[in-house]
Amino acid sequence: MKTSRKVILIFILGILSFINIKLIMSLVDTRREEIRLSKKLNGLLEKRQTAENQFILKQDHMRKMLTDKDFMEQVTHQKTGFIKDKETVFKFED
């Protein structure tokens, strides 16, 4: 009877050891996944911050275009190459 109890105990300990090993492997995989997702989240947060900064710059640019006559004239001057009277333009070769 005692040998049968020992066999059952060894069998149960083996099963519990196997379960513990599987649990540890699962926890390690979960930790790796958490690290991967955390890096991805940080990358997305950086992209979001960049997009917000670009939006603010474009919003400021649009506000200036709608309200600041001198700014609009400067932008038109740059885009079209328009030259005002009494203005000298120098062109440099690269």
Side-chain angles (χ1 to χ4, degrees):
M1 193 78 171
K2 286 189 174 192
T3 55
S4 123
R5 282 186 178 181
K6 286 183 181 179
V7 170
I8 291 173
L9 285 175
I10 291 173
F11 181 72
I12 290 173
L13 285 174
I15 291 174
L16 290 175
S17 296
F18 178 74
I19 291 171
N20 281 335
I21 290 171
K22 289 300 255 180
L23 179 61
I24 290 170
M25 290 172 56
S26 176
L27 290 173
V28 168
D29 290 342
T30 301
R31 178 68 178 143
R32 286 184 188 145
E33 182 70 8
E34 178 190 10
I35 291 169
R36 185 186 71 78
L37 291 174
S38 178
K39 288 178 182 178
K40 186 173 182 178
L41 177 63
N42 288 337
L44 291 172
L45 290 173
E46 287 177 12
K47 282 184 180 179
R48 176 182 161 205
Q49 187 63 44
T50 301
E52 285 178 357
N53 291 341
Q54 288 176 349
F55 177 76
I56 289 169
L57 289 174
K58 288 181 180 184
Q59 194 176 31
D60 186 50
H61 186 80
M62 180 64 81
R63 183 185 51 77
K64 284 182 180 178
M65 286 178 62
L66 294 172
T67 59
D68 189 351
K69 183 181 181 225
D70 293 335
F71 179 77
M72 190 60 195
E73 187 175 314
Q74 178 186 359
V75 169
T76 304
H77 183 72
Q78 289 173 352
K79 297 283 182 185
T80 62
F82 177 72
I83 301 170
K84 298 178 188 175
D85 293 338
K86 300 180 185 176
E87 187 174 56
T88 305
V89 176
F90 296 96
K91 184 175 181 178
F92 298 97
E93 293 183 22
D94 293 334

